[in-house]
Amino acid sequence: MSAPPTPVPLTPGWPHCGHGADPAHDPIGCRGVHTPGSTACLAHLADADRAAHLAGLTSGSDVDLRGTPLTRSLLNQVLDAVRDPATGNPHFGSAYFAEATFRENVRFNGARFTGPAWFHGARFTGQARFREVQFHDAVWFTEAQFSKSVWFSGTRFMKDAWFDGTRFVEDAAFDMAQFTEDAHFDRAEFSGPAGFRETRFSENAWFSEAEFAVNTATACGVTVGGVARWSDCVTNR
């Protein structure tokens, strides 16, 4: 029996960079969204063009980096471009990071997102720190993958937060996080320790069909103001 054909990757739903495309092996190439005024993504812009684009960002700017491969250095340049001089912390308006790839350890600590934040399908290959971040609008981490440890300790989710289908390969810390509206963790996979110490869910918390590694979930002092649904959760042994 012949081997099944290799699946053809789907073309992104946005105008994409295409850097490195090869008709035989990689017909799509880089999936990063076009930087305004260019056909390249931020990662593949010429240095002068990248510097000019970043110089046009200010505290509270909207950022669109869908599908973009982000090194720690490039992400830090973006964080610096939107840094609020009054607080010293990054301040995003709407943030589009869907399907972006974060290739090294990243730190969003203390950042503020005043518009919706999309991290749907993003890939974090290094550690990810979102400590004490403020999400003022809805945030989506659906189908994202964290290959190393991730921290959301002390983070405030002021609108709905979506982690449906998110995969946490190592530690996932939500200790002392606050969810003001609904929190969605349906079908999330926690392969390493999951920490929810003193986490506060003011409304509903959904964990239907979530999967936890055995003896690794800590939920001391959790507060739930609405419905907590844990139906069909799986604990691996």
Side-chain angles (χ1 to χ4, degrees):
M1 181 181 294
S2 60
T6 302
V8 177
L10 296 176
T11 302
W14 50 81
H16 68 285
C17 174
H19 180 83
D22 180 341
H25 303 289
D26 182 7
I28 294 176
C30 175
R31 302 174 67 85
V33 68
H34 288 176
T35 304
S38 173
T39 58
C41 72
L42 189 66
H44 293 116
L45 278 179
D47 290 347
D49 294 334
R50 183 184 307 112
H53 174 74
L54 293 171
L57 300 179
T58 61
S59 174
S61 288
D62 296 341
V63 172
D64 188 358
L65 293 169
R66 287 172 291 173
T68 303
L70 293 163
T71 63
R72 179 167 55 188
S73 174
L74 181 55
L75 178 61
N76 286 344
Q77 292 176 56
V78 174
L79 296 174
D80 287 340
V82 298
R83 198 171 298 279
D84 185 342
T87 64
N89 293 324
H91 174 198
F92 293 91
S94 297
Y96 303 84
F97 288 99
E99 297 185 31
T101 301
F102 298 87
R103 293 182 170 175
E104 300 172 275
N105 296 345
V106 297
R107 294 175 181 264
F108 283 89
N109 293 345
R112 184 160 59 111
F113 294 80
T114 48
W118 283 269
F119 289 87
H120 169 80
R123 296 292 181 265
F124 296 82
T125 62
Q127 295 180 341
R129 290 172 168 84
F130 287 84
R131 289 188 174 114
E132 299 184 358
V133 171
Q134 297 180 34
F135 292 104
H136 290 258
D137 210 320
V139 55
W140 289 264
F141 283 94
T142 46
E143 308 294 337
Q145 178 170 309
F146 295 92
S147 297
K148 298 293 183 182
S149 298
V150 56
W151 291 267
F152 287 94
S153 308
T155 293
R156 296 180 63 190
F157 300 90
M158 302 178 199
K159 297 292 184 181
D160 282 9
W162 302 81
F163 289 87
D164 292 347
T166 303
R167 186 179 181 194
F168 302 93
V169 177
E170 294 189 358
D171 301 40
F174 289 86
D175 303 327
M176 294 182 287
Q178 298 180 40
F179 294 85
T180 302
E181 297 193 3
D182 288 357
H184 304 261
F185 287 87
D186 294 343
R187 303 180 310 284
E189 297 181 24
F190 296 87
S191 300
F196 290 89
R197 296 177 182 86
E198 299 184 39
T199 304
R200 181 175 181 179
F201 298 94
S202 298
E203 294 292 340
N204 303 314
W206 309 98
F207 285 84
S208 298
E209 299 183 44
E211 185 172 334
F212 293 86
V214 68
N215 295 331
T216 61
T218 304
C220 300
V222 169
T223 301
V224 181
V227 173
R229 188 175 298 278
W230 300 80
S231 60
D232 300 319
C233 286
V234 176
T235 301
N236 290 323
R237 297 186 181 276

